[in-house]
Amino acid sequence: MLLILGSVFAGLAALIHVYIFVLESVRWTHPSTRRVFGTTAEAAEVTRPLAFNQGFYNLFLAILAVIGIVIALAGSAGVGIALMLAGTGSMLAAALVLILSDRGKARAAAVQGLFPLIAVVLLVVALI
Protein backbone atom coordinates (compact mmCIF):
# COMPACT_ATOMS: atom_id res chain seq x y z
CA MET A 1 0.00 0.00 0.00
CA LEU A 2 2.82 2.43 0.82
CA LEU A 3 4.42 1.69 -2.55
CA ILE A 4 1.18 2.61 -4.31
CA LEU A 5 0.77 5.81 -2.30
CA GLY A 6 4.42 6.72 -2.82
CA SER A 7 4.00 6.11 -6.54
CA VAL A 8 0.91 8.34 -6.64
CA PHE A 9 2.79 11.20 -4.98
CA ALA A 10 5.82 10.63 -7.20
CA GLY A 11 3.46 10.86 -10.17
CA LEU A 12 1.93 14.09 -8.88
CA ALA A 13 5.43 15.49 -8.34
CA ALA A 14 6.32 14.50 -11.90
CA LEU A 15 3.23 16.30 -13.25
CA ILE A 16 4.18 19.49 -11.44
CA HIS A 17 7.71 19.28 -12.81
CA VAL A 18 6.44 18.74 -16.36
CA TYR A 19 4.34 21.89 -15.86
CA ILE A 20 7.45 23.74 -14.65
CA PHE A 21 9.28 22.47 -17.75
CA VAL A 22 6.55 23.93 -19.97
CA LEU A 23 6.74 27.28 -18.17
CA GLU A 24 10.53 27.51 -18.27
CA SER A 25 11.38 25.92 -21.61
CA VAL A 26 8.33 26.62 -23.76
CA ARG A 27 6.48 29.66 -22.38
CA TRP A 28 9.22 31.60 -20.58
CA THR A 29 8.65 34.94 -22.35
CA HIS A 30 4.83 34.79 -22.36
CA PRO A 31 3.18 37.44 -20.16
CA SER A 32 1.35 34.90 -17.98
CA THR A 33 4.59 33.02 -17.29
CA ARG A 34 6.44 36.26 -16.56
CA ARG A 35 3.76 37.06 -13.97
CA VAL A 36 4.25 33.65 -12.33
CA PHE A 37 8.00 34.23 -12.04
CA GLY A 38 7.76 37.98 -11.41
CA THR A 39 10.02 39.05 -14.27
CA THR A 40 9.90 41.71 -16.94
CA ALA A 41 9.83 41.13 -20.69
CA GLU A 42 13.43 42.35 -20.93
CA ALA A 43 14.68 40.13 -18.11
CA ALA A 44 12.79 37.13 -19.52
CA GLU A 45 14.45 37.59 -22.89
CA VAL A 46 17.92 37.84 -21.34
CA THR A 47 17.38 34.79 -19.11
CA ARG A 48 15.61 32.72 -21.75
CA PRO A 49 18.58 30.36 -22.42
CA LEU A 50 19.02 29.75 -18.68
CA ALA A 51 15.32 29.07 -18.16
CA PHE A 52 15.24 26.78 -21.21
CA ASN A 53 18.06 24.69 -19.72
CA GLN A 54 16.53 24.71 -16.22
CA GLY A 55 13.20 23.53 -17.61
CA PHE A 56 14.83 20.46 -19.06
CA TYR A 57 16.32 19.59 -15.66
CA ASN A 58 12.77 19.56 -14.31
CA LEU A 59 11.58 17.41 -17.21
CA PHE A 60 14.39 14.90 -16.71
CA LEU A 61 13.54 14.57 -13.01
CA ALA A 62 9.90 13.97 -13.91
CA ILE A 63 10.89 11.32 -16.47
CA LEU A 64 13.09 9.60 -13.88
CA ALA A 65 10.21 9.44 -11.40
CA VAL A 66 7.78 8.14 -14.04
CA ILE A 67 10.18 5.43 -15.19
CA GLY A 68 10.54 4.43 -11.54
CA ILE A 69 6.77 4.23 -11.15
CA VAL A 70 6.42 2.04 -14.23
CA ILE A 71 9.23 -0.29 -13.18
CA ALA A 72 7.96 -0.58 -9.60
CA LEU A 73 4.42 -1.33 -10.67
CA ALA A 74 5.72 -3.85 -13.23
CA GLY A 75 7.16 -5.94 -10.42
CA SER A 76 10.68 -4.65 -9.78
CA ALA A 77 9.84 -2.67 -6.66
CA GLY A 78 13.43 -2.13 -5.49
CA VAL A 79 14.65 -0.71 -8.79
CA GLY A 80 11.48 1.35 -9.22
CA ILE A 81 11.69 2.80 -5.73
CA ALA A 82 15.36 3.66 -6.26
CA LEU A 83 14.51 5.57 -9.43
CA MET A 84 11.54 7.30 -7.84
CA LEU A 85 13.70 8.30 -4.87
CA ALA A 86 16.39 9.64 -7.21
CA GLY A 87 13.83 11.78 -9.03
CA THR A 88 11.73 12.96 -6.10
CA GLY A 89 14.76 13.35 -3.82
CA SER A 90 16.34 15.66 -6.38
CA MET A 91 13.07 17.59 -6.71
CA LEU A 92 12.96 17.98 -2.93
CA ALA A 93 16.59 19.08 -2.80
CA ALA A 94 15.92 21.70 -5.48
CA ALA A 95 12.97 23.02 -3.45
CA LEU A 96 15.21 23.28 -0.39
CA VAL A 97 17.84 25.17 -2.39
CA LEU A 98 15.13 27.54 -3.63
CA ILE A 99 13.86 28.38 -0.13
CA LEU A 100 17.36 28.65 1.33
CA SER A 101 18.50 30.97 -1.45
CA ASP A 102 15.46 33.28 -1.32
CA ARG A 103 12.92 33.22 1.52
CA GLY A 104 10.56 35.15 -0.76
CA LYS A 105 10.22 32.00 -2.86
CA ALA A 106 8.66 29.98 0.00
CA ARG A 107 5.38 29.45 -1.86
CA ALA A 108 7.16 28.29 -5.02
CA ALA A 109 9.39 25.99 -2.96
CA ALA A 110 6.32 24.50 -1.27
CA VAL A 111 4.63 23.86 -4.62
CA GLN A 112 7.83 22.37 -6.00
CA GLY A 113 8.67 20.31 -2.92
CA LEU A 114 5.53 19.14 -1.12
CA PHE A 115 4.61 16.14 -3.31
CA PRO A 116 8.25 15.02 -3.61
CA LEU A 117 8.59 15.20 0.19
CA ILE A 118 5.50 13.06 0.71
CA ALA A 119 6.70 10.60 -1.94
CA VAL A 120 10.15 10.30 -0.37
CA VAL A 121 8.71 9.65 3.10
CA LEU A 122 6.24 7.05 1.83
CA LEU A 123 8.81 5.29 -0.35
CA VAL A 124 11.42 5.16 2.40
CA VAL A 125 8.87 3.74 4.83
CA ALA A 126 7.85 1.21 2.16
CA LEU A 127 11.46 0.03 2.07
CA ILE A 128 11.62 -0.53 5.82
Side-chain angles (χ1 to χ4, degrees):
M1 183 63 173
L2 290 174
L3 174 58
I4 299 296
L5 285 173
S7 297
V8 167
F9 280 97
L12 292 170
L15 286 174
I16 288 172
H17 281 74
V18 169
Y19 173 68
I20 295 169
F21 157 76
V22 170
L23 289 178
E24 293 176 341
S25 295
V26 179
R27 300 186 45 84
W28 184 249
T29 58
H30 290 248
S32 60
T33 302
R34 291 196 328 266
R35 278 192 297 279
V36 168
F37 287 93
T39 188
T40 65
E42 297 78 22
E45 201 55 51
V46 169
T47 58
R48 186 179 199 158
L50 296 171
F52 183 79
N53 188 50
Q54 183 64 35
F56 273 91
Y57 278 97
N58 285 294
L59 179 63
F60 299 149
L61 294 176
I63 290 170
L64 184 61
V66 169
I67 290 171
I69 293 166
V70 170
I71 290 174
L73 298 179
S76 294
V79 173
I81 290 172
L83 292 170
M84 283 188 276
L85 285 173
T88 57
S90 295
M91 292 171 189
L92 179 57
L96 290 173
V97 168
L98 182 60
I99 189 66
L100 292 173
S101 66
D102 183 352
R103 300 270 188 224
K105 303 284 187 203
R107 183 177 182 278
V111 168
Q112 180 179 336
L114 180 61
F115 288 154
L117 171 63
I118 295 169
V120 165
V121 169
L122 289 169
L123 292 169
V124 168
V125 173
L127 285 173
I128 298 173

Tab-separated table of all heavy atoms in Angstrom, residues 44-110:
chain	number	residue	atom	x	y	z
A	44	ALA	N	13.144	38.456	-19.007
A	44	ALA	CA	12.789	37.127	-19.522
A	44	ALA	C	13.563	36.826	-20.806
A	44	ALA	O	14.025	35.698	-21.000
A	44	ALA	CB	11.288	37.035	-19.770
A	45	GLU	N	13.719	37.815	-21.640
A	45	GLU	CA	14.454	37.595	-22.890
A	45	GLU	C	15.928	37.305	-22.609
A	45	GLU	O	16.519	36.422	-23.219
A	45	GLU	CB	14.291	38.815	-23.814
A	45	GLU	CG	14.560	38.530	-25.256
A	45	GLU	CD	13.729	37.384	-25.837
A	45	GLU	OE1	12.498	37.373	-25.696
A	45	GLU	OE2	14.344	36.474	-26.440
A	46	VAL	N	16.511	38.037	-21.679
A	46	VAL	CA	17.921	37.840	-21.338
A	46	VAL	C	18.144	36.470	-20.684
A	46	VAL	O	19.147	35.808	-20.959
A	46	VAL	CB	18.421	38.969	-20.411
A	46	VAL	CG1	19.789	38.661	-19.835
A	46	VAL	CG2	18.442	40.291	-21.159
A	47	THR	N	17.214	36.054	-19.844
A	47	THR	CA	17.380	34.793	-19.107
A	47	THR	C	16.773	33.588	-19.830
A	47	THR	O	16.812	32.470	-19.303
A	47	THR	CB	16.751	34.904	-17.710
A	47	THR	OG1	15.367	35.233	-17.845
A	47	THR	CG2	17.463	35.944	-16.857
A	48	ARG	N	16.264	33.797	-21.007
A	48	ARG	CA	15.613	32.715	-21.752
A	48	ARG	C	16.481	31.463	-21.898
A	48	ARG	O	16.005	30.351	-21.646
A	48	ARG	CB	15.172	33.230	-23.114
A	48	ARG	CG	14.363	32.250	-23.900
A	48	ARG	CD	13.955	32.851	-25.232
A	48	ARG	NE	12.840	32.101	-25.759
A	48	ARG	CZ	12.007	32.565	-26.633
A	48	ARG	NH1	12.131	33.789	-27.098
A	48	ARG	NH2	11.033	31.807	-27.083
A	49	PRO	N	17.761	31.586	-22.298
A	49	PRO	CA	18.580	30.365	-22.423
A	49	PRO	C	18.762	29.636	-21.085
A	49	PRO	O	18.762	28.402	-21.045
A	49	PRO	CB	19.927	30.872	-22.948
A	49	PRO	CG	19.632	32.196	-23.570
A	49	PRO	CD	18.499	32.764	-22.781
A	50	LEU	N	18.887	30.375	-19.995
A	50	LEU	CA	19.024	29.747	-18.681
A	50	LEU	C	17.742	29.023	-18.286
A	50	LEU	O	17.785	27.899	-17.785
A	50	LEU	CB	19.372	30.795	-17.631
A	50	LEU	CG	20.714	31.513	-17.797
A	50	LEU	CD1	20.823	32.665	-16.817
A	50	LEU	CD2	21.855	30.542	-17.635
A	51	ALA	N	16.606	29.671	-18.505
A	51	ALA	CA	15.323	29.066	-18.161
A	51	ALA	C	15.060	27.835	-19.029
A	51	ALA	O	14.548	26.823	-18.539
A	51	ALA	CB	14.201	30.084	-18.326
A	52	PHE	N	15.419	27.914	-20.300
A	52	PHE	CA	15.244	26.781	-21.211
A	52	PHE	C	15.985	25.561	-20.671
A	52	PHE	O	15.440	24.464	-20.577
A	52	PHE	CB	15.762	27.166	-22.599
A	52	PHE	CG	15.564	26.103	-23.638
A	52	PHE	CD1	14.329	25.915	-24.231
A	52	PHE	CD2	16.621	25.300	-24.028
A	52	PHE	CE1	14.147	24.934	-25.203
A	52	PHE	CE2	16.454	24.319	-25.002
A	52	PHE	CZ	15.206	24.132	-25.581
A	53	ASN	N	17.237	25.765	-20.269
A	53	ASN	CA	18.058	24.692	-19.719
A	53	ASN	C	17.472	24.183	-18.400
A	53	ASN	O	17.358	22.975	-18.177
A	53	ASN	CB	19.485	25.198	-19.522
A	53	ASN	CG	20.438	24.099	-19.128
A	53	ASN	OD1	20.490	23.059	-19.769
A	53	ASN	ND2	21.192	24.333	-18.078
A	54	GLN	N	17.088	25.083	-17.526
A	54	GLN	CA	16.526	24.711	-16.223
A	54	GLN	C	15.247	23.903	-16.390
A	54	GLN	O	15.002	22.951	-15.656
A	54	GLN	CB	16.259	25.961	-15.382
A	54	GLN	CG	15.753	25.661	-14.000
A	54	GLN	CD	16.754	24.905	-13.146
A	54	GLN	OE1	17.950	25.112	-13.246
A	54	GLN	NE2	16.253	24.021	-12.321
A	55	GLY	N	14.438	24.272	-17.358
A	55	GLY	CA	13.203	23.533	-17.608
A	55	GLY	C	13.465	22.074	-17.937
A	55	GLY	O	12.737	21.178	-17.498
A	56	PHE	N	14.515	21.845	-18.708
A	56	PHE	CA	14.828	20.460	-19.059
A	56	PHE	C	15.301	19.662	-17.850
A	56	PHE	O	15.027	18.465	-17.760
A	56	PHE	CB	15.830	20.401	-20.216
A	56	PHE	CG	15.136	20.450	-21.545
A	56	PHE	CD1	14.900	21.671	-22.170
A	56	PHE	CD2	14.685	19.293	-22.150
A	56	PHE	CE1	14.236	21.729	-23.387
A	56	PHE	CE2	14.017	19.330	-23.362
A	56	PHE	CZ	13.790	20.555	-23.980
A	57	TYR	N	15.973	20.293	-16.900
A	57	TYR	CA	16.320	19.594	-15.661
A	57	TYR	C	15.038	19.099	-14.980
A	57	TYR	O	14.969	17.967	-14.510
A	57	TYR	CB	17.085	20.497	-14.691
A	57	TYR	CG	18.554	20.596	-14.977
A	57	TYR	CD1	19.072	21.656	-15.707
A	57	TYR	CD2	19.434	19.627	-14.515
A	57	TYR	CE1	20.426	21.749	-15.975
A	57	TYR	CE2	20.796	19.708	-14.778
A	57	TYR	CZ	21.282	20.771	-15.510
A	57	TYR	OH	22.621	20.849	-15.771
A	58	ASN	N	14.035	19.953	-14.922
A	58	ASN	CA	12.766	19.564	-14.313
A	58	ASN	C	12.104	18.428	-15.081
A	58	ASN	O	11.571	17.490	-14.485
A	58	ASN	CB	11.831	20.770	-14.222
A	58	ASN	CG	12.253	21.710	-13.125
A	58	ASN	OD1	12.205	21.370	-11.963
A	58	ASN	ND2	12.697	22.903	-13.494
A	59	LEU	N	12.151	18.485	-16.401
A	59	LEU	CA	11.580	17.413	-17.215
A	59	LEU	C	12.299	16.091	-16.974
A	59	LEU	O	11.664	15.040	-16.824
A	59	LEU	CB	11.639	17.785	-18.698
A	59	LEU	CG	11.090	16.728	-19.661
A	59	LEU	CD1	9.605	16.483	-19.417
A	59	LEU	CD2	11.346	17.158	-21.101
A	60	PHE	N	13.620	16.132	-16.915
A	60	PHE	CA	14.388	14.897	-16.710
A	60	PHE	C	14.084	14.269	-15.347
A	60	PHE	O	14.010	13.042	-15.218
A	60	PHE	CB	15.884	15.149	-16.865
A	60	PHE	CG	16.272	15.640	-18.230
A	60	PHE	CD1	17.353	16.490	-18.383
A	60	PHE	CD2	15.566	15.286	-19.366
A	60	PHE	CE1	17.730	16.955	-19.638
A	60	PHE	CE2	15.925	15.746	-20.634
A	60	PHE	CZ	17.015	16.581	-20.759
A	61	LEU	N	13.903	15.096	-14.325
A	61	LEU	CA	13.542	14.566	-13.007
A	61	LEU	C	12.161	13.918	-13.050
A	61	LEU	O	11.938	12.866	-12.437
A	61	LEU	CB	13.595	15.663	-11.945
A	61	LEU	CG	14.981	16.238	-11.660
A	61	LEU	CD1	14.881	17.380	-10.671
A	61	LEU	CD2	15.925	15.163	-11.166
A	62	ALA	N	11.239	14.535	-13.771
A	62	ALA	CA	9.897	13.965	-13.912
A	62	ALA	C	9.961	12.625	-14.640
A	62	ALA	O	9.312	11.652	-14.226
A	62	ALA	CB	8.990	14.942	-14.663
A	63	ILE	N	10.745	12.563	-15.708
A	63	ILE	CA	10.886	11.317	-16.465
A	63	ILE	C	11.471	10.223	-15.579
A	63	ILE	O	11.016	9.075	-15.606
A	63	ILE	CB	11.736	11.546	-17.730
A	63	ILE	CG1	10.959	12.403	-18.732
A	63	ILE	CG2	12.162	10.216	-18.350
A	63	ILE	CD1	11.796	12.898	-19.906
A	64	LEU	N	12.478	10.567	-14.793
A	64	LEU	CA	13.093	9.601	-13.884
A	64	LEU	C	12.061	9.028	-12.910
A	64	LEU	O	11.985	7.813	-12.698
A	64	LEU	CB	14.238	10.275	-13.129
A	64	LEU	CG	15.075	9.422	-12.192
A	64	LEU	CD1	15.772	8.303	-12.951
A	64	LEU	CD2	16.103	10.300	-11.492
A	65	ALA	N	11.246	9.899	-12.344
A	65	ALA	CA	10.210	9.442	-11.404
A	65	ALA	C	9.188	8.551	-12.106
A	65	ALA	O	8.788	7.515	-11.568
A	65	ALA	CB	9.524	10.646	-10.751
A	66	VAL	N	8.775	8.929	-13.307
A	66	VAL	CA	7.776	8.142	-14.036
A	66	VAL	C	8.337	6.772	-14.425
A	66	VAL	O	7.645	5.756	-14.302
A	66	VAL	CB	7.258	8.912	-15.269
A	66	VAL	CG1	6.432	8.018	-16.176
A	66	VAL	CG2	6.438	10.123	-14.825
A	67	ILE	N	9.564	6.725	-14.874
A	67	ILE	CA	10.181	5.428	-15.190
A	67	ILE	C	10.225	4.556	-13.930
A	67	ILE	O	9.946	3.355	-13.985
A	67	ILE	CB	11.582	5.616	-15.800
A	67	ILE	CG1	11.470	6.218	-17.196
A	67	ILE	CG2	12.344	4.290	-15.861
A	67	ILE	CD1	12.793	6.649	-17.802
A	68	GLY	N	10.545	5.167	-12.794
A	68	GLY	CA	10.539	4.429	-11.538
A	68	GLY	C	9.167	3.877	-11.197
A	68	GLY	O	9.033	2.738	-10.750
A	69	ILE	N	8.140	4.680	-11.420
A	69	ILE	CA	6.769	4.230	-11.154
A	69	ILE	C	6.441	3.019	-12.020
A	69	ILE	O	5.944	1.993	-11.535
A	69	ILE	CB	5.757	5.372	-11.412
A	69	ILE	CG1	5.934	6.498	-10.396
A	69	ILE	CG2	4.322	4.837	-11.390
A	69	ILE	CD1	5.215	7.784	-10.767
A	70	VAL	N	6.731	3.127	-13.295
A	70	VAL	CA	6.420	2.041	-14.232
A	70	VAL	C	7.159	0.764	-13.842
A	70	VAL	O	6.569	-0.326	-13.793
A	70	VAL	CB	6.754	2.459	-15.683
A	70	VAL	CG1	6.670	1.278	-16.633
A	70	VAL	CG2	5.827	3.587	-16.133
A	71	ILE	N	8.438	0.889	-13.545
A	71	ILE	CA	9.228	-0.293	-13.183
A	71	ILE	C	8.752	-0.898	-11.869
A	71	ILE	O	8.640	-2.121	-11.743
A	71	ILE	CB	10.730	0.062	-13.143
A	71	ILE	CG1	11.222	0.325	-14.567
A	71	ILE	CG2	11.545	-1.038	-12.476
A	71	ILE	CD1	12.646	0.835	-14.654
A	72	ALA	N	8.442	-0.062	-10.888
A	72	ALA	CA	7.960	-0.580	-9.596
A	72	ALA	C	6.638	-1.309	-9.764
A	72	ALA	O	6.451	-2.399	-9.222
A	72	ALA	CB	7.828	0.555	-8.583
A	73	LEU	N	5.736	-0.726	-10.500
A	73	LEU	CA	4.423	-1.334	-10.668
A	73	LEU	C	4.465	-2.553	-11.588
A	73	LEU	O	3.551	-3.376	-11.568
A	73	LEU	CB	3.416	-0.304	-11.161
A	73	LEU	CG	3.179	0.867	-10.193
A	73	LEU	CD1	2.177	1.852	-10.766
A	73	LEU	CD2	2.747	0.371	-8.823
A	74	ALA	N	5.545	-2.673	-12.369
A	74	ALA	CA	5.715	-3.847	-13.232
A	74	ALA	C	6.329	-5.020	-12.474
A	74	ALA	O	6.495	-6.099	-13.043
A	74	ALA	CB	6.582	-3.477	-14.435
A	75	GLY	N	6.686	-4.827	-11.220
A	75	GLY	CA	7.161	-5.937	-10.420
A	75	GLY	C	8.565	-5.825	-9.872
A	75	GLY	O	8.966	-6.623	-9.042
A	76	SER	N	9.325	-4.854	-10.312
A	76	SER	CA	10.676	-4.650	-9.783
A	76	SER	C	10.652	-3.486	-8.803
A	76	SER	O	11.140	-2.386	-9.098
A	76	SER	CB	11.662	-4.381	-10.922
A	76	SER	OG	11.783	-5.523	-11.741
A	77	ALA	N	10.069	-3.745	-7.630
A	77	ALA	CA	9.840	-2.674	-6.656
A	77	ALA	C	11.134	-1.989	-6.230
A	77	ALA	O	11.181	-0.751	-6.160
A	77	ALA	CB	9.110	-3.213	-5.430
A	78	GLY	N	12.181	-2.740	-5.968
A	78	GLY	CA	13.428	-2.135	-5.492
A	78	GLY	C	14.022	-1.165	-6.490
A	78	GLY	O	14.401	-0.040	-6.132
A	79	VAL	N	14.097	-1.582	-7.746
A	79	VAL	CA	14.649	-0.708	-8.792
A	79	VAL	C	13.736	0.497	-8.993
A	79	VAL	O	14.201	1.639	-9.104
A	79	VAL	CB	14.821	-1.486	-10.118
A	79	VAL	CG1	15.218	-0.553	-11.254
A	79	VAL	CG2	15.838	-2.603	-9.952
A	80	GLY	N	12.438	0.259	-9.023
A	80	GLY	CA	11.484	1.351	-9.219
A	80	GLY	C	11.542	2.376	-8.104
A	80	GLY	O	11.539	3.585	-8.349
A	81	ILE	N	11.605	1.888	-6.874
A	81	ILE	CA	11.694	2.801	-5.734
A	81	ILE	C	12.988	3.601	-5.795
A	81	ILE	O	12.994	4.804	-5.537
A	81	ILE	CB	11.562	2.036	-4.395
A	81	ILE	CG1	10.128	1.537	-4.223
A	81	ILE	CG2	11.961	2.921	-3.215
A	81	ILE	CD1	9.929	0.609	-3.034
A	82	ALA	N	14.088	2.942	-6.156
A	82	ALA	CA	15.364	3.663	-6.255
A	82	ALA	C	15.274	4.790	-7.281
A	82	ALA	O	15.738	5.912	-7.020
A	82	ALA	CB	16.482	2.693	-6.635
A	83	LEU	N	14.656	4.522	-8.413
A	83	LEU	CA	14.512	5.566	-9.435
A	83	LEU	C	13.567	6.671	-8.977
A	83	LEU	O	13.840	7.860	-9.190
A	83	LEU	CB	14.043	4.961	-10.754
A	83	LEU	CG	15.063	4.055	-11.449
A	83	LEU	CD1	14.424	3.314	-12.614
A	83	LEU	CD2	16.261	4.866	-11.912
A	84	MET	N	12.463	6.276	-8.353
A	84	MET	CA	11.539	7.297	-7.840
A	84	MET	C	12.215	8.160	-6.782
A	84	MET	O	12.034	9.389	-6.768
A	84	MET	CB	10.279	6.654	-7.260
A	84	MET	CG	9.286	6.190	-8.293
A	84	MET	SD	7.734	5.656	-7.544
A	84	MET	CE	8.128	3.961	-7.102
A	85	LEU	N	12.997	7.536	-5.899
A	85	LEU	CA	13.703	8.304	-4.874
A	85	LEU	C	14.750	9.229	-5.489
A	85	LEU	O	14.946	10.349	-5.005
A	85	LEU	CB	14.338	7.374	-3.846
A	85	LEU	CG	13.381	6.744	-2.843
A	85	LEU	CD1	14.107	5.713	-1.988
A	85	LEU	CD2	12.721	7.802	-1.972
A	86	ALA	N	15.420	8.772	-6.538
A	86	ALA	CA	16.392	9.645	-7.209
A	86	ALA	C	15.690	10.873	-7.787
A	86	ALA	O	16.160	12.013	-7.620
A	86	ALA	CB	17.134	8.880	-8.306
A	87	GLY	N	14.559	10.663	-8.440
A	87	GLY	CA	13.826	11.784	-9.032
A	87	GLY	C	13.203	12.695	-7.998
A	87	GLY	O	13.431	13.913	-7.992
A	88	THR	N	12.429	12.118	-7.074
A	88	THR	CA	11.732	12.956	-6.096
A	88	THR	C	12.695	13.539	-5.062
A	88	THR	O	12.482	14.651	-4.582
A	88	THR	CB	10.606	12.178	-5.392
A	88	THR	OG1	11.147	11.006	-4.759
A	88	THR	CG2	9.514	11.778	-6.373
A	89	GLY	N	13.751	12.806	-4.740
A	89	GLY	CA	14.757	13.352	-3.819
A	89	GLY	C	15.451	14.566	-4.416
A	89	GLY	O	15.699	15.553	-3.717
A	90	SER	N	15.731	14.510	-5.707
A	90	SER	CA	16.342	15.661	-6.381
A	90	SER	C	15.370	16.834	-6.454
A	90	SER	O	15.766	17.993	-6.294
A	90	SER	CB	16.803	15.266	-7.786
A	90	SER	OG	17.836	14.305	-7.718
A	91	MET	N	14.098	16.537	-6.701
A	91	MET	CA	13.074	17.590	-6.713
A	91	MET	C	13.004	18.268	-5.340
A	91	MET	O	12.937	19.505	-5.245
A	91	MET	CB	11.701	17.006	-7.054
A	91	MET	CG	11.540	16.489	-8.442
A	91	MET	SD	9.952	15.612	-8.555
A	91	MET	CE	10.080	14.848	-10.156
A	92	LEU	N	13.006	17.451	-4.299
A	92	LEU	CA	12.955	17.976	-2.933
A	92	LEU	C	14.195	18.805	-2.623
A	92	LEU	O	14.092	19.897	-2.042
A	92	LEU	CB	12.813	16.828	-1.942
A	92	LEU	CG	12.761	17.189	-0.464
A	92	LEU	CD1	11.632	18.153	-0.161
A	92	LEU	CD2	12.624	15.920	0.370
A	93	ALA	N	15.352	18.325	-3.030
A	93	ALA	CA	16.591	19.078	-2.801
A	93	ALA	C	16.549	20.422	-3.522
A	93	ALA	O	16.973	21.442	-2.965
A	93	ALA	CB	17.795	18.253	-3.266
A	94	ALA	N	16.024	20.436	-4.739
A	94	ALA	CA	15.918	21.697	-5.484
A	94	ALA	C	14.975	22.670	-4.775
A	94	ALA	O	15.240	23.883	-4.725
A	94	ALA	CB	15.438	21.427	-6.908
A	95	ALA	N	13.892	22.159	-4.206
A	95	ALA	CA	12.972	23.021	-3.450
A	95	ALA	C	13.659	23.596	-2.221
A	95	ALA	O	13.476	24.778	-1.890
A	95	ALA	CB	11.723	22.237	-3.056
A	96	LEU	N	14.463	22.787	-1.561
A	96	LEU	CA	15.211	23.281	-0.394
A	96	LEU	C	16.220	24.352	-0.791
A	96	LEU	O	16.371	25.362	-0.093
A	96	LEU	CB	15.911	22.125	0.313
A	96	LEU	CG	14.994	21.146	1.034
A	96	LEU	CD1	15.780	19.946	1.544
A	96	LEU	CD2	14.261	21.833	2.171
A	97	VAL	N	16.904	24.148	-1.904
A	97	VAL	CA	17.843	25.168	-2.390
A	97	VAL	C	17.102	26.459	-2.683
A	97	VAL	O	17.577	27.549	-2.356
A	97	VAL	CB	18.606	24.664	-3.635
A	97	VAL	CG1	19.361	25.798	-4.320
A	97	VAL	CG2	19.559	23.539	-3.260
A	98	LEU	N	15.921	26.353	-3.296
A	98	LEU	CA	15.135	27.542	-3.627
A	98	LEU	C	14.779	28.329	-2.372
A	98	LEU	O	14.990	29.541	-2.317
A	98	LEU	CB	13.873	27.137	-4.389
A	98	LEU	CG	12.960	28.262	-4.849
A	98	LEU	CD1	13.692	29.222	-5.786
A	98	LEU	CD2	11.722	27.692	-5.519
A	99	ILE	N	14.268	27.668	-1.347
A	99	ILE	CA	13.859	28.385	-0.134
A	99	ILE	C	15.068	28.916	0.633
A	99	ILE	O	15.012	29.997	1.214
A	99	ILE	CB	12.961	27.512	0.774
A	99	ILE	CG1	12.372	28.338	1.919
A	99	ILE	CG2	13.701	26.324	1.341
A	99	ILE	CD1	11.420	29.385	1.529
A	100	LEU	N	16.164	28.174	0.626
A	100	LEU	CA	17.359	28.650	1.332
A	100	LEU	C	18.029	29.819	0.617
A	100	LEU	O	18.660	30.655	1.259
A	100	LEU	CB	18.350	27.502	1.520
A	100	LEU	CG	17.888	26.407	2.483
A	100	LEU	CD1	18.868	25.237	2.466
A	100	LEU	CD2	17.711	26.949	3.889
A	101	SER	N	17.867	29.890	-0.699
A	101	SER	CA	18.497	30.973	-1.448
A	101	SER	C	17.657	32.244	-1.455
A	101	SER	O	18.188	33.333	-1.642
A	101	SER	CB	18.781	30.538	-2.892
A	101	SER	OG	17.572	30.311	-3.590
A	102	ASP	N	16.331	32.111	-1.272
A	102	ASP	CA	15.459	33.279	-1.321
A	102	ASP	C	14.179	32.969	-0.548
A	102	ASP	O	13.294	32.280	-1.056
A	102	ASP	CB	15.148	33.625	-2.777
A	102	ASP	CG	14.300	34.876	-2.929
A	102	ASP	OD1	13.800	35.422	-1.913
A	102	ASP	OD2	14.123	35.324	-4.079
A	103	ARG	N	14.092	33.466	0.674
A	103	ARG	CA	12.917	33.216	1.520
A	103	ARG	C	11.624	33.702	0.866
A	103	ARG	O	10.547	33.213	1.166
A	103	ARG	CB	13.074	33.884	2.877
A	103	ARG	CG	14.263	33.392	3.653
A	103	ARG	CD	13.878	32.230	4.509
A	103	ARG	NE	14.993	31.898	5.393
A	103	ARG	CZ	15.385	30.676	5.619
A	103	ARG	NH1	14.756	29.686	5.058
A	103	ARG	NH2	16.394	30.431	6.407
A	104	GLY	N	11.729	34.650	-0.044
A	104	GLY	CA	10.559	35.149	-0.760
A	104	GLY	C	9.968	34.125	-1.716
A	104	GLY	O	8.866	34.312	-2.223
A	105	LYS	N	10.677	33.059	-1.958
A	105	LYS	CA	10.217	32.000	-2.858
A	105	LYS	C	9.626	30.817	-2.081
A	105	LYS	O	9.548	29.709	-2.601
A	105	LYS	CB	11.376	31.501	-3.727
A	105	LYS	CG	12.051	32.566	-4.547
A	105	LYS	CD	11.211	32.935	-5.721
A	105	LYS	CE	12.025	33.885	-6.607
A	105	LYS	NZ	11.221	34.695	-7.443
A	106	ALA	N	9.183	31.062	-0.855
A	106	ALA	CA	8.663	29.982	-0.005
A	106	ALA	C	7.463	29.291	-0.648
A	106	ALA	O	7.360	28.064	-0.620
A	106	ALA	CB	8.293	30.519	1.369
A	107	ARG	N	6.571	30.051	-1.231
A	107	ARG	CA	5.382	29.448	-1.862
A	107	ARG	C	5.804	28.567	-3.031
A	107	ARG	O	5.329	27.437	-3.176
A	107	ARG	CB	4.406	30.522	-2.326
A	107	ARG	CG	3.132	29.952	-2.908
A	107	ARG	CD	2.146	31.068	-3.299
A	107	ARG	NE	0.913	30.535	-3.800
A	107	ARG	CZ	0.723	30.114	-5.046
A	107	ARG	NH1	1.707	30.165	-5.919
A	107	ARG	NH2	-0.459	29.639	-5.428
A	108	ALA	N	6.686	29.072	-3.876
A	108	ALA	CA	7.159	28.289	-5.015
A	108	ALA	C	7.882	27.024	-4.552
A	108	ALA	O	7.705	25.949	-5.131
A	108	ALA	CB	8.077	29.131	-5.897
A	109	ALA	N	8.668	27.148	-3.498
A	109	ALA	CA	9.385	25.989	-2.965
A	109	ALA	C	8.399	24.964	-2.410
A	109	ALA	O	8.608	23.753	-2.570
A	109	ALA	CB	10.373	26.426	-1.892
A	110	ALA	N	7.325	25.426	-1.787
A	110	ALA	CA	6.316	24.503	-1.265
A	110	ALA	C	5.611	23.770	-2.402
A	110	ALA	O	5.412	22.553	-2.337
A	110	ALA	CB	5.304	25.259	-0.408
